[in-house]
Amino acid sequence: MNFLEERIQKDGVVKEGNVLKVDSFLNHQMDIALFEQMGEEFLRRFQNEKIDKILTIEASGIGIACIVARYFRVPVVFAKKAKSVNLDGEMYVAEVESFTHKNKNQVIVSKKFLSAGEHVLIIDDFLANGCALQGLISIVKEAGAIVDGIGIAIEKGFQPGGRIIRNLGYRLESLAIIEAMDAATGQITFREQPVCVHRD
Ligand code: 5GP
């Protein structure tokens, strides 16, 4: 097991409705030493790409994206969730259905912060059905920028998002891929992955 899988096994809590709670280390209380290991690992996996900018979505992607950005030495832009937007032409807009809240949000990025030709690494905490990622990808496309890669902390491999995004041809790297999880027993099974290298 890699460092993130070990932590999920130790502190993750499986809830009904295919939800994994990781709020003690990832998206409420945040373990920055763990985020640094994630940053180092994403840099290793995407070292051959020339990334100009990291793009994520509020709220829980922001913490991880900021630490990852220190390794790539690039700025972070996060897509803001807005109930309704006055479309004044200054924003890129996409519609995203929330997995956890079951509602639809428009997500927006100011045109000032994403430009044609920029090479973007998308970072997020979870991948479930892929709606959040598809919204971010459409914003990058609208800007005329390029998605060079997508880095996810936890992919739920039993939900369709990972397959959909990989079938679209994107390079998607998830640090932990959950093959199955059971709310009754708390058991979590991971997909076999190549070993992460961590330098102490
Ligand atoms: P998707 O759009 O891929 O269906 O869902 C991705 C988003 O939903 C992530 O940004 C994350 O915030 C949230 N999410 C999806 N599944 C889970 C989960 O099992 N646990 C938590 N804590 N968040 C999740």
Side-chain angles (χ1 to χ4, degrees):
M1 271 199 289
N2 71 30
F3 64 95
L4 183 59
E5 293 165 340
E6 277 172 11
R7 190 59 179 273
I8 295 166
Q9 203 65 276
K10 181 166 156 280
D11 292 328
V13 180
V14 183
K15 296 283 185 190
E16 291 296 341
N18 287 332
V19 171
L20 177 69
K21 255 187 116 83
V22 287
D23 58 356
S24 66
F25 61 96
L26 201 84
N27 53 21
H28 191 13
Q29 175 168 259
M30 297 184 281
D31 182 338
I32 301 305
L34 183 83
F35 286 17
E36 285 170 344
Q37 278 182 284
M38 300 198 309
E40 192 180 358
E41 180 58 21
F42 282 130
L43 181 62
R44 189 181 71 78
R45 294 191 189 198
F46 292 108
Q47 62 191 340
N48 295 328
E49 311 293 338
K50 201 209 144 292
I51 304 296
D52 299 310
K53 204 158 268 186
I54 287 179
L55 178 68
T56 188
I57 182 165
E58 73 173 351
S60 48
I62 297 174
I64 298 170
C66 288
I67 302 296
V68 173
R70 293 199 57 192
Y71 286 81
F72 285 85
R73 297 181 179 277
V74 296
V76 177
V77 176
F78 67 90
K80 295 186 174 205
K81 291 175 183 163
K83 278 277 170 280
S84 75
V85 184
N86 287 327
L87 294 175
D88 58 3
E90 299 303 314
M91 304 281 177
Y92 304 116
V93 184
E95 185 124 305
V96 170
E97 185 166 347
S98 162
F99 177 83
T100 34
H101 300 106
K102 307 290 176 215
N103 59 348
K104 276 193 176 172
N105 283 303
Q106 282 183 321
V107 298
I108 57 172
V109 170
S110 168
K111 289 189 174 173
K112 279 186 288 194
F113 305 126
L114 198 54
S115 307
E118 283 187 312
H119 290 256
V120 176
L121 174 64
I122 296 177
I123 294 285
D124 205 3
D125 59 340
F126 270 93
L127 173 55
N129 293 325
C131 299
L133 278 187
Q134 296 209 56
L136 293 177
I137 290 168
S138 84
I139 282 176
V140 175
K141 278 188 172 166
E142 199 187 333
I146 303 120
V147 177
D148 272 21
I150 301 170
I152 297 289
I154 306 172
E155 175 180 338
K156 290 185 292 181
F158 54 88
Q159 290 176 314
R163 187 172 32 80
I164 293 168
I165 299 295
R166 289 187 181 93
N167 283 346
L168 289 170
Y170 292 101
R171 170 146 182 237
L172 165 63
E173 294 280 345
S174 301
L175 301 185
I177 304 180
I178 297 176
E179 208 62 273
M181 60 187 203
D182 185 335
T185 61
Q187 204 178 348
I188 301 171
T189 315
F190 296 100
R191 190 178 296 171
E192 281 292 327
Q193 289 218 74
V195 182
C196 301
V197 180
H198 174 61
R199 297 181 299 276
D200 279 315

mmCIF file of all heavy atoms in Angstrom, residues 17-23 26-27 57-61 81 96-101 124-134 154 156 158-159 161-162 178 181, ligand 1:
data_model
loop_
_atom_site.group_PDB
_atom_site.id
_atom_site.type_symbol
_atom_site.label_atom_id
_atom_site.label_comp_id
_atom_site.label_asym_id
_atom_site.label_seq_id
_atom_site.Cartn_x
_atom_site.Cartn_y
_atom_site.Cartn_z
ATOM 1 N N GLY A 17 -24.190 5.255 0.971
ATOM 2 C CA GLY A 17 -24.319 6.103 -0.214
ATOM 3 C C GLY A 17 -23.003 6.300 -0.940
ATOM 4 O O GLY A 17 -22.821 7.300 -1.647
ATOM 5 N N ASN A 18 -22.058 5.342 -0.772
ATOM 6 C CA ASN A 18 -20.773 5.402 -1.486
ATOM 7 C C ASN A 18 -19.957 6.633 -1.151
ATOM 8 O O ASN A 18 -19.250 7.172 -2.009
ATOM 9 C CB ASN A 18 -20.985 5.351 -3.005
ATOM 10 C CG ASN A 18 -21.376 3.971 -3.471
ATOM 11 O OD1 ASN A 18 -21.000 2.986 -2.830
ATOM 12 N ND2 ASN A 18 -22.122 3.889 -4.551
ATOM 13 N N VAL A 19 -20.067 7.097 0.085
ATOM 14 C CA VAL A 19 -19.282 8.260 0.504
ATOM 15 C C VAL A 19 -18.183 7.805 1.466
ATOM 16 O O VAL A 19 -18.425 7.051 2.404
ATOM 17 C CB VAL A 19 -20.172 9.324 1.181
ATOM 18 C CG1 VAL A 19 -19.325 10.430 1.801
ATOM 19 C CG2 VAL A 19 -21.145 9.922 0.163
ATOM 20 N N LEU A 20 -16.975 8.262 1.185
ATOM 21 C CA LEU A 20 -15.847 8.012 2.085
ATOM 22 C C LEU A 20 -15.557 9.307 2.825
ATOM 23 O O LEU A 20 -15.334 10.349 2.192
ATOM 24 C CB LEU A 20 -14.628 7.584 1.265
ATOM 25 C CG LEU A 20 -13.351 7.356 2.072
ATOM 26 C CD1 LEU A 20 -13.471 6.124 2.965
ATOM 27 C CD2 LEU A 20 -12.157 7.198 1.136
ATOM 28 N N LYS A 21 -15.553 9.235 4.152
ATOM 29 C CA LYS A 21 -15.241 10.435 4.925
ATOM 30 C C LYS A 21 -13.757 10.441 5.250
ATOM 31 O O LYS A 21 -13.221 9.477 5.805
ATOM 32 C CB LYS A 21 -16.052 10.434 6.226
ATOM 33 C CG LYS A 21 -17.217 11.410 6.204
ATOM 34 C CD LYS A 21 -17.883 11.518 7.546
ATOM 35 C CE LYS A 21 -17.751 12.876 8.113
ATOM 36 N NZ LYS A 21 -18.537 13.924 7.821
ATOM 37 N N VAL A 22 -13.107 11.526 4.885
ATOM 38 C CA VAL A 22 -11.666 11.641 5.150
ATOM 39 C C VAL A 22 -11.410 13.003 5.794
ATOM 40 O O VAL A 22 -10.391 13.631 5.556
ATOM 41 C CB VAL A 22 -10.827 11.471 3.855
ATOM 42 C CG1 VAL A 22 -10.809 10.031 3.387
ATOM 43 C CG2 VAL A 22 -11.337 12.380 2.754
ATOM 44 N N ASP A 23 -12.380 13.437 6.588
ATOM 45 C CA ASP A 23 -12.297 14.815 7.088
ATOM 46 C C ASP A 23 -11.283 14.995 8.212
ATOM 47 O O ASP A 23 -10.988 16.121 8.577
ATOM 48 C CB ASP A 23 -13.680 15.352 7.469
ATOM 49 C CG ASP A 23 -14.378 14.515 8.516
ATOM 50 O OD1 ASP A 23 -13.820 13.466 8.896
ATOM 51 O OD2 ASP A 23 -15.481 14.911 8.935
ATOM 52 N N LEU A 26 -7.981 15.151 5.230
ATOM 53 C CA LEU A 26 -7.938 15.648 3.844
ATOM 54 C C LEU A 26 -8.815 16.860 3.579
ATOM 55 O O LEU A 26 -8.379 17.807 2.932
ATOM 56 C CB LEU A 26 -8.340 14.514 2.891
ATOM 57 C CG LEU A 26 -7.890 14.686 1.462
ATOM 58 C CD1 LEU A 26 -6.474 14.202 1.274
ATOM 59 C CD2 LEU A 26 -8.797 13.947 0.499
ATOM 60 N N ASN A 27 -10.066 16.829 4.038
ATOM 61 C CA ASN A 27 -10.913 17.945 3.601
ATOM 62 C C ASN A 27 -11.710 18.656 4.695
ATOM 63 O O ASN A 27 -12.705 19.311 4.397
ATOM 64 C CB ASN A 27 -11.810 17.540 2.422
ATOM 65 C CG ASN A 27 -12.616 16.294 2.694
ATOM 66 O OD1 ASN A 27 -12.819 15.950 3.836
ATOM 67 N ND2 ASN A 27 -13.055 15.632 1.648
ATOM 68 N N ILE A 57 -11.157 23.148 -7.890
ATOM 69 C CA ILE A 57 -12.526 23.631 -7.677
ATOM 70 C C ILE A 57 -12.750 23.769 -6.179
ATOM 71 O O ILE A 57 -12.288 22.932 -5.406
ATOM 72 C CB ILE A 57 -13.535 22.665 -8.364
ATOM 73 C CG1 ILE A 57 -14.977 23.142 -8.228
ATOM 74 C CG2 ILE A 57 -13.390 21.250 -7.890
ATOM 75 C CD1 ILE A 57 -15.943 22.430 -9.197
ATOM 76 N N GLU A 58 -13.471 24.846 -5.799
ATOM 77 C CA GLU A 58 -13.688 25.014 -4.372
ATOM 78 C C GLU A 58 -14.701 23.978 -3.875
ATOM 79 O O GLU A 58 -15.507 23.509 -4.643
ATOM 80 C CB GLU A 58 -14.145 26.455 -4.063
ATOM 81 C CG GLU A 58 -15.553 26.786 -4.474
ATOM 82 C CD GLU A 58 -15.960 28.186 -3.977
ATOM 83 O OE1 GLU A 58 -15.229 28.804 -3.185
ATOM 84 O OE2 GLU A 58 -17.027 28.649 -4.402
ATOM 85 N N ALA A 59 -14.676 23.575 -2.594
ATOM 86 C CA ALA A 59 -13.736 24.076 -1.637
ATOM 87 C C ALA A 59 -12.600 23.093 -1.369
ATOM 88 O O ALA A 59 -11.448 23.468 -1.215
ATOM 89 C CB ALA A 59 -14.478 24.347 -0.322
ATOM 90 N N SER A 60 -12.927 21.793 -1.382
ATOM 91 C CA SER A 60 -11.950 20.867 -0.813
ATOM 92 C C SER A 60 -10.741 20.601 -1.700
ATOM 93 O O SER A 60 -9.755 20.037 -1.233
ATOM 94 C CB SER A 60 -12.631 19.563 -0.407
ATOM 95 O OG SER A 60 -13.439 19.113 -1.455
ATOM 96 N N GLY A 61 -10.776 21.025 -2.964
ATOM 97 C CA GLY A 61 -9.586 20.855 -3.793
ATOM 98 C C GLY A 61 -8.496 21.879 -3.496
ATOM 99 O O GLY A 61 -7.321 21.658 -3.820
ATOM 100 N N LYS A 81 -17.815 28.289 -7.047
ATOM 101 C CA LYS A 81 -19.193 27.835 -7.224
ATOM 102 C C LYS A 81 -20.113 29.019 -7.033
ATOM 103 O O LYS A 81 -19.977 29.772 -6.077
ATOM 104 C CB LYS A 81 -19.523 26.748 -6.211
ATOM 105 C CG LYS A 81 -18.786 25.459 -6.483
ATOM 106 C CD LYS A 81 -19.025 24.425 -5.417
ATOM 107 C CE LYS A 81 -18.205 23.168 -5.708
ATOM 108 N NZ LYS A 81 -18.063 22.295 -4.569
ATOM 109 N N VAL A 96 -21.931 22.126 -13.032
ATOM 110 C CA VAL A 96 -21.403 20.933 -12.378
ATOM 111 C C VAL A 96 -22.421 20.422 -11.366
ATOM 112 O O VAL A 96 -22.898 21.175 -10.519
ATOM 113 C CB VAL A 96 -20.074 21.258 -11.643
ATOM 114 C CG1 VAL A 96 -19.638 20.095 -10.768
ATOM 115 C CG2 VAL A 96 -18.980 21.594 -12.646
ATOM 116 N N GLU A 97 -22.707 19.119 -11.440
ATOM 117 C CA GLU A 97 -23.591 18.516 -10.451
ATOM 118 C C GLU A 97 -22.735 17.988 -9.312
ATOM 119 O O GLU A 97 -21.757 17.280 -9.526
ATOM 120 C CB GLU A 97 -24.379 17.373 -11.104
ATOM 121 C CG GLU A 97 -25.400 16.794 -10.159
ATOM 122 C CD GLU A 97 -26.420 15.917 -10.862
ATOM 123 O OE1 GLU A 97 -26.489 15.942 -12.102
ATOM 124 O OE2 GLU A 97 -27.145 15.220 -10.138
ATOM 125 N N SER A 98 -23.113 18.349 -8.079
ATOM 126 C CA SER A 98 -22.312 17.951 -6.923
ATOM 127 C C SER A 98 -22.643 16.528 -6.497
ATOM 128 O O SER A 98 -23.811 16.188 -6.307
ATOM 129 C CB SER A 98 -22.571 18.910 -5.760
ATOM 130 O OG SER A 98 -22.149 18.330 -4.556
ATOM 131 N N PHE A 99 -21.601 15.690 -6.351
ATOM 132 C CA PHE A 99 -21.822 14.312 -5.900
ATOM 133 C C PHE A 99 -22.301 14.302 -4.463
ATOM 134 O O PHE A 99 -23.224 13.576 -4.107
ATOM 135 C CB PHE A 99 -20.525 13.496 -6.018
ATOM 136 C CG PHE A 99 -20.676 12.098 -5.494
ATOM 137 C CD1 PHE A 99 -21.207 11.109 -6.301
ATOM 138 C CD2 PHE A 99 -20.329 11.776 -4.190
ATOM 139 C CE1 PHE A 99 -21.388 9.830 -5.813
ATOM 140 C CE2 PHE A 99 -20.500 10.497 -3.702
ATOM 141 C CZ PHE A 99 -21.031 9.516 -4.513
ATOM 142 N N THR A 100 -21.692 15.119 -3.612
ATOM 143 C CA THR A 100 -21.998 15.055 -2.180
ATOM 144 C C THR A 100 -23.281 15.807 -1.825
ATOM 145 O O THR A 100 -23.999 15.416 -0.922
ATOM 146 C CB THR A 100 -20.810 15.572 -1.338
ATOM 147 O OG1 THR A 100 -20.168 16.623 -2.044
ATOM 148 C CG2 THR A 100 -19.807 14.494 -1.070
ATOM 149 N N HIS A 101 -23.570 16.902 -2.542
ATOM 150 C CA HIS A 101 -24.752 17.688 -2.169
ATOM 151 C C HIS A 101 -25.936 17.494 -3.116
ATOM 152 O O HIS A 101 -27.022 17.987 -2.858
ATOM 153 C CB HIS A 101 -24.390 19.178 -2.091
ATOM 154 C CG HIS A 101 -23.325 19.448 -1.075
ATOM 155 N ND1 HIS A 101 -22.027 19.752 -1.421
ATOM 156 C CD2 HIS A 101 -23.357 19.402 0.277
ATOM 157 C CE1 HIS A 101 -21.311 19.898 -0.320
ATOM 158 N NE2 HIS A 101 -22.087 19.699 0.721
ATOM 159 N N ASP A 124 -7.764 17.599 -7.871
ATOM 160 C CA ASP A 124 -8.946 17.575 -6.992
ATOM 161 C C ASP A 124 -8.784 16.477 -5.953
ATOM 162 O O ASP A 124 -7.917 15.604 -6.088
ATOM 163 C CB ASP A 124 -10.235 17.387 -7.812
ATOM 164 C CG ASP A 124 -11.479 17.945 -7.084
ATOM 165 O OD1 ASP A 124 -11.336 18.519 -5.982
ATOM 166 O OD2 ASP A 124 -12.595 17.792 -7.608
ATOM 167 N N ASP A 125 -9.632 16.562 -4.919
ATOM 168 C CA ASP A 125 -9.509 15.587 -3.830
ATOM 169 C C ASP A 125 -10.112 14.235 -4.200
ATOM 170 O O ASP A 125 -9.506 13.199 -3.958
ATOM 171 C CB ASP A 125 -10.123 16.135 -2.521
ATOM 172 C CG ASP A 125 -11.605 16.481 -2.638
ATOM 173 O OD1 ASP A 125 -12.109 16.675 -3.764
ATOM 174 O OD2 ASP A 125 -12.270 16.587 -1.581
ATOM 175 N N PHE A 126 -11.323 14.245 -4.800
ATOM 176 C CA PHE A 126 -12.039 13.007 -5.103
ATOM 177 C C PHE A 126 -12.449 12.962 -6.556
ATOM 178 O O PHE A 126 -12.727 13.991 -7.171
ATOM 179 C CB PHE A 126 -13.334 12.935 -4.282
ATOM 180 C CG PHE A 126 -13.184 12.272 -2.942
ATOM 181 C CD1 PHE A 126 -12.923 13.035 -1.804
ATOM 182 C CD2 PHE A 126 -13.299 10.902 -2.831
ATOM 183 C CE1 PHE A 126 -12.788 12.419 -0.573
ATOM 184 C CE2 PHE A 126 -13.170 10.276 -1.605
ATOM 185 C CZ PHE A 126 -12.911 11.046 -0.467
ATOM 186 N N LEU A 127 -12.538 11.753 -7.070
ATOM 187 C CA LEU A 127 -13.181 11.527 -8.367
ATOM 188 C C LEU A 127 -14.250 10.459 -8.166
ATOM 189 O O LEU A 127 -13.933 9.346 -7.709
ATOM 190 C CB LEU A 127 -12.148 11.083 -9.403
ATOM 191 C CG LEU A 127 -12.678 10.637 -10.763
ATOM 192 C CD1 LEU A 127 -13.551 11.688 -11.419
ATOM 193 C CD2 LEU A 127 -11.520 10.279 -11.697
ATOM 194 N N ALA A 128 -15.499 10.826 -8.466
ATOM 195 C CA ALA A 128 -16.605 9.873 -8.317
ATOM 196 C C ALA A 128 -17.248 9.668 -9.690
ATOM 197 O O ALA A 128 -16.833 8.797 -10.452
ATOM 198 C CB ALA A 128 -17.603 10.400 -7.287
ATOM 199 N N ASN A 129 -18.220 10.496 -10.038
ATOM 200 C CA ASN A 129 -18.868 10.360 -11.356
ATOM 201 C C ASN A 129 -18.193 11.196 -12.444
ATOM 202 O O ASN A 129 -18.504 11.058 -13.624
ATOM 203 C CB ASN A 129 -20.344 10.751 -11.254
ATOM 204 C CG ASN A 129 -21.110 9.760 -10.395
ATOM 205 O OD1 ASN A 129 -20.816 8.575 -10.403
ATOM 206 N ND2 ASN A 129 -22.079 10.249 -9.635
ATOM 207 N N GLY A 130 -17.300 12.067 -12.024
ATOM 208 C CA GLY A 130 -16.521 12.831 -13.008
ATOM 209 C C GLY A 130 -17.126 14.166 -13.394
ATOM 210 O O GLY A 130 -16.596 14.850 -14.283
ATOM 211 N N CYS A 131 -18.231 14.564 -12.734
ATOM 212 C CA CYS A 131 -18.889 15.825 -13.134
ATOM 213 C C CYS A 131 -17.985 17.035 -12.866
ATOM 214 O O CYS A 131 -17.884 17.941 -13.710
ATOM 215 C CB CYS A 131 -20.199 16.011 -12.380
ATOM 216 S SG CYS A 131 -21.366 14.708 -12.706
ATOM 217 N N ALA A 132 -17.363 17.053 -11.705
ATOM 218 C CA ALA A 132 -16.494 18.190 -11.364
ATOM 219 C C ALA A 132 -15.380 18.309 -12.405
ATOM 220 O O ALA A 132 -15.112 19.398 -12.939
ATOM 221 C CB ALA A 132 -15.912 18.012 -9.961
ATOM 222 N N LEU A 133 -14.755 17.165 -12.742
ATOM 223 C CA LEU A 133 -13.653 17.197 -13.719
ATOM 224 C C LEU A 133 -14.144 17.628 -15.093
ATOM 225 O O LEU A 133 -13.476 18.423 -15.766
ATOM 226 C CB LEU A 133 -13.007 15.818 -13.836
ATOM 227 C CG LEU A 133 -11.979 15.454 -12.778
ATOM 228 C CD1 LEU A 133 -11.320 14.128 -13.132
ATOM 229 C CD2 LEU A 133 -10.928 16.556 -12.637
ATOM 230 N N GLN A 134 -15.302 17.143 -15.490
ATOM 231 C CA GLN A 134 -15.785 17.523 -16.832
ATOM 232 C C GLN A 134 -16.058 19.016 -16.906
ATOM 233 O O GLN A 134 -15.814 19.651 -17.932
ATOM 234 C CB GLN A 134 -17.027 16.712 -17.185
ATOM 235 C CG GLN A 134 -16.701 15.234 -17.293
ATOM 236 C CD GLN A 134 -17.597 14.494 -18.266
ATOM 237 O OE1 GLN A 134 -17.688 14.857 -19.430
ATOM 238 N NE2 GLN A 134 -18.257 13.458 -17.794
ATOM 239 N N ILE A 154 -8.071 10.778 -4.322
ATOM 240 C CA ILE A 154 -8.801 9.518 -4.137
ATOM 241 C C ILE A 154 -9.830 9.330 -5.249
ATOM 242 O O ILE A 154 -10.759 10.123 -5.383
ATOM 243 C CB ILE A 154 -9.532 9.497 -2.773
ATOM 244 C CG1 ILE A 154 -8.548 9.789 -1.636
ATOM 245 C CG2 ILE A 154 -10.231 8.151 -2.565
ATOM 246 C CD1 ILE A 154 -9.210 9.970 -0.269
ATOM 247 N N LYS A 156 -12.746 6.868 -6.697
ATOM 248 C CA LYS A 156 -13.594 5.721 -6.362
ATOM 249 C C LYS A 156 -13.796 4.938 -7.660
ATOM 250 O O LYS A 156 -14.605 5.305 -8.501
ATOM 251 C CB LYS A 156 -14.894 6.203 -5.734
ATOM 252 C CG LYS A 156 -14.633 6.787 -4.322
ATOM 253 C CD LYS A 156 -15.896 7.177 -3.600
ATOM 254 C CE LYS A 156 -16.540 8.350 -4.273
ATOM 255 N NZ LYS A 156 -17.783 8.787 -3.596
ATOM 256 N N PHE A 158 -15.061 2.259 -8.474
ATOM 257 C CA PHE A 158 -16.319 1.560 -8.747
ATOM 258 C C PHE A 158 -17.391 2.523 -9.265
ATOM 259 O O PHE A 158 -18.510 2.111 -9.561
ATOM 260 C CB PHE A 158 -16.818 0.834 -7.480
ATOM 261 C CG PHE A 158 -16.934 1.730 -6.275
ATOM 262 C CD1 PHE A 158 -18.096 2.441 -6.041
ATOM 263 C CD2 PHE A 158 -15.859 1.879 -5.402
ATOM 264 C CE1 PHE A 158 -18.200 3.281 -4.949
ATOM 265 C CE2 PHE A 158 -15.950 2.716 -4.296
ATOM 266 C CZ PHE A 158 -17.124 3.422 -4.074
ATOM 267 N N GLN A 159 -17.047 3.795 -9.344
ATOM 268 C CA GLN A 159 -17.944 4.778 -9.960
ATOM 269 C C GLN A 159 -17.349 5.172 -11.322
ATOM 270 O O GLN A 159 -16.173 4.976 -11.563
ATOM 271 C CB GLN A 159 -18.128 5.973 -9.010
ATOM 272 C CG GLN A 159 -18.963 5.536 -7.806
ATOM 273 C CD GLN A 159 -19.145 6.600 -6.746
ATOM 274 O OE1 GLN A 159 -18.207 7.272 -6.353
ATOM 275 N NE2 GLN A 159 -20.350 6.710 -6.257
ATOM 276 N N GLY A 161 -16.517 7.858 -13.154
ATOM 277 C CA GLY A 161 -15.730 9.035 -13.543
ATOM 278 C C GLY A 161 -14.369 8.720 -14.144
ATOM 279 O O GLY A 161 -13.999 9.278 -15.182
ATOM 280 N N GLY A 162 -13.625 7.837 -13.515
ATOM 281 C CA GLY A 162 -12.265 7.529 -13.968
ATOM 282 C C GLY A 162 -12.270 6.968 -15.379
ATOM 283 O O GLY A 162 -11.471 7.362 -16.236
ATOM 284 N N ILE A 178 -9.959 3.346 -5.077
ATOM 285 C CA ILE A 178 -10.738 2.406 -4.268
ATOM 286 C C ILE A 178 -11.536 1.506 -5.199
ATOM 287 O O ILE A 178 -12.313 1.977 -6.030
ATOM 288 C CB ILE A 178 -11.663 3.170 -3.307
ATOM 289 C CG1 ILE A 178 -10.810 3.987 -2.328
ATOM 290 C CG2 ILE A 178 -12.578 2.198 -2.560
ATOM 291 C CD1 ILE A 178 -11.600 4.850 -1.394
ATOM 292 N N MET A 181 -15.772 -0.618 -1.371
ATOM 293 C CA MET A 181 -15.828 -0.258 0.047
ATOM 294 C C MET A 181 -17.202 -0.619 0.589
ATOM 295 O O MET A 181 -18.186 -0.610 -0.140
ATOM 296 C CB MET A 181 -15.467 1.211 0.282
ATOM 297 C CG MET A 181 -16.336 2.225 -0.395
ATOM 298 S SD MET A 181 -15.668 3.897 -0.178
ATOM 299 C CE MET A 181 -17.182 4.858 -0.429
HETATM 300 P P1 5GP B 1 -17.751 13.856 -9.098
HETATM 301 O O1 5GP B 1 -18.010 15.192 -9.705
HETATM 302 O O2 5GP B 1 -16.551 13.153 -9.668
HETATM 303 O O3 5GP B 1 -18.973 12.978 -9.047
HETATM 304 O O4 5GP B 1 -17.422 14.150 -7.564
HETATM 305 C C1 5GP B 1 -16.259 14.829 -7.220
HETATM 306 C C2 5GP B 1 -16.479 15.789 -6.103
HETATM 307 O O5 5GP B 1 -17.422 15.298 -5.156
HETATM 308 C C3 5GP B 1 -15.183 16.014 -5.366
HETATM 309 O O6 5GP B 1 -14.731 17.320 -5.671
HETATM 310 C C4 5GP B 1 -15.515 15.835 -3.897
HETATM 311 O O7 5GP B 1 -15.547 17.104 -3.292
HETATM 312 C C5 5GP B 1 -16.883 15.206 -3.851
HETATM 313 N N1 5GP B 1 -16.875 13.757 -3.489
HETATM 314 C C6 5GP B 1 -17.198 12.738 -4.310
HETATM 315 N N2 5GP B 1 -17.176 11.573 -3.657
HETATM 316 C C7 5GP B 1 -16.818 11.845 -2.400
HETATM 317 C C8 5GP B 1 -16.619 11.008 -1.229
HETATM 318 O O8 5GP B 1 -16.786 9.773 -1.222
HETATM 319 N N3 5GP B 1 -16.226 11.652 -0.098
HETATM 320 C C9 5GP B 1 -16.043 12.999 -0.045
HETATM 321 N N4 5GP B 1 -15.648 13.514 1.123
HETATM 322 N N5 5GP B 1 -16.230 13.823 -1.125
HETATM 323 C C10 5GP B 1 -16.620 13.230 -2.280
#
